[in-house]
C-alpha cells in the first residue's frame, strides 16, 4: 500500500513537470504571435502600362484586399486612357503610384493621375490610400484630426508653412496662405512624425508648381509625438 502511494506521488510530480514544460513552451510562442509586428514589402507592377503598388507579406487576407484596391486604380486608368485615345490619338490618361509611408503597421500609397484632352496643359488629380496593415481598415483624416479644435490647429500649421514658403520666394498664392479648402475629405498621407496634407494645382500655387505637400507634425495638433 505504501509503495502504491509513493508511485502515485511520483506520477503526480511527473504530470506536474510535463504541464510546466508545456506551459513554458506554449506561452512564449503565443506571446510572440500576439505581439508580432505586421510588415509588408512593396513593389511596382503594371497593368497595360499603368503602374500600381503590389504588396507581399503581412496578413494574407489584408494584403489580398489591398492589392485588389491598388490594382483596380491602374485598371481604371487603363480604361480611361483607352477612352481618351478613341477621341484623339494625342489624348491620354496616365497614373503614377508611390509608397509614401510603410511603418508602424500603417501604409500610405499615393496615386497621381494626369489626363490630357487638349489645351495648354492637362489636368491632375491625386488619390491617397491609407491603411492599417493589421486590420485592413482604411484610415480617414478623422482618425487623426478628431474635432474642429484640432482642425483649426492643422489649418494654422499649414498657414505657417505656406507663409514660410512664400517669404522664401516660393510660388505660393499670397491670397491663399490663410484661405484654402480643408476638411475631412482632403487628401493626406502619413509620415514618420505626423500627416501630410496635399493640395492640388491651383489650390495654393500655380499649375507649374504641381502638388503642394505640407507636413503637419502630430505635436502641432495633438498630444502625441
Amino acid at each position: 500500500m505504501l509503495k502504491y502511494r509513493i508511485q502515485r506521488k511520483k506520477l503526480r510530480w511527473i504530470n506536474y513537470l510535463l504541464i510546466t514544460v508545456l506551459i513554458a513552451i506554449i506561452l512564449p510562442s503565443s506571446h510572440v504571435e500576439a505581439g508580432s509586428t505586421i510588415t509588408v514589402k512593396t513593389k511596382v507592377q503594371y497593368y497595360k502600362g499603368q503602374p500600381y503598388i503590389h504588396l507581399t507579406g503581412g496578413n494574407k487576407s489584408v494584403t489580398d484586399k489591398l492589392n485588389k484596391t491598388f490594382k483596380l486604380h491602374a485598371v481604371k486608368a487603363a480604361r480611361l486612357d483607352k477612352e481618351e485615345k478613341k477621341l484623339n490619338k494625342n489624348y491620354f490618361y496616365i497614373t503614377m503610384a508611390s509608397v509614401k509611408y510603410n511603418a508602424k503597421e500603417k501604409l500610405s500609397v499615393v496615386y497621381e493621375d494626369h489626363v490630357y484632352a487638349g489645351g495648354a496643359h492637362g489636368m491632375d488629380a491625386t488619390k491617397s490610400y491609407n491603411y492599417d496593415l493589421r486590420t485592413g481598415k482604411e484610415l480617414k483624416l478623422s482618425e487623426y484630426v478628431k474635432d474642429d479644435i484640432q482642425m483649426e490647429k492643422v489649418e494654422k500649421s499649414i498657414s505657417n508653412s505656406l507663409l514660410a514658403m512664400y517669404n522664401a520666394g516660393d510660388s505660393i498664392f499670397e491670397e491663399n496662405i490663410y484661405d484654402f479648402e480643408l476638411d475631412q475629405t482632403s487628401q493626406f498621407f502619413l509620415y514618420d512624425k505626423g500627416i501630410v496634407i496635399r493640395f492640388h494645382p491651383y489650390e495654393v500655387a500655380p499649375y507649374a508648381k504641381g502638388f503642394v505637400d505640407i507636413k503637419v507634425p502630430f505635436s502641432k495638433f495633438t498630444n502625441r509625438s
Side-chain angles (χ1 to χ4, degrees), residues 36-216:
S36 61
T37 300
I38 302 295
T39 60
V40 297
K41 293 182 179 180
T42 66
K43 62 180 179 179
V44 177
Q45 293 188 341
Y46 293 85
Y47 175 84
K48 296 184 177 180
Q50 303 285 357
Y52 63 93
I53 301 299
H54 181 80
L55 310 179
T56 55
N59 183 312
K60 188 177 186 305
S61 61
V62 171
T63 299
D64 289 347
K65 170 190 170 183
L66 301 192
N67 280 338
K68 289 179 181 178
T69 298
F70 298 151
K71 185 176 181 178
L72 182 59
H73 194 110
V75 172
K76 289 180 178 178
R79 175 176 55 81
L80 292 171
D81 183 55
K82 183 177 180 180
E83 292 175 0
E84 290 296 334
K85 284 181 168 54
K86 284 182 179 179
L87 298 175
N88 187 308
K89 64 179 182 179
N90 295 318
Y91 293 175
F92 60 83
Y93 191 110
I94 59 174
T95 191
M96 293 183 289
S98 61
V99 178
K100 296 296 186 180
Y101 186 77
N102 181 14
K104 299 178 182 178
E105 300 186 325
K106 303 292 188 296
L107 179 74
S108 289
V109 169
V110 175
Y111 284 80
E112 297 176 6
D113 296 347
H114 180 79
V115 56
Y116 178 75
H121 56 69
M123 295 178 290
D124 298 289
T126 188
K127 171 61 179 175
S128 301
Y129 297 94
N130 304 289
Y131 287 100
D132 185 316
L133 290 174
R134 183 170 289 277
T135 64
K137 177 184 177 182
E138 184 174 7
L139 301 171
K140 304 292 187 180
L141 188 56
S142 58
E143 297 280 338
Y144 300 95
V145 186
K146 299 183 179 298
D147 52 41
D148 291 341
I149 294 176
Q150 289 189 351
M151 184 65 80
E152 289 177 4
K153 291 180 179 179
V154 171
E155 291 173 347
K156 181 179 179 181
S157 180
I158 291 173
S159 291
N160 289 340
S161 295
L162 291 174
L163 179 61
M165 294 169 68
Y166 177 81
N167 289 336
D170 216 336
S171 55
I172 299 297
F173 293 147
E174 182 178 7
E175 63 271 22
N176 292 121
I177 292 176
Y178 299 100
D179 183 17
F180 49 82
E181 293 292 330
L182 181 67
D183 57 32
Q184 294 291 356
T185 65
S186 296
Q187 296 298 307
F188 82 101
F189 54 90
L190 302 172
Y191 81 107
D192 58 343
K193 294 182 180 180
I195 60 175
V196 179
I197 300 295
R198 167 163 283 195
F199 292 99
H200 285 79
Y202 291 126
E203 285 192 288
V204 295
Y207 179 84
K209 180 69 175 174
F211 297 107
V212 176
D213 295 337
I214 305 295
K215 290 183 176 180
V216 184

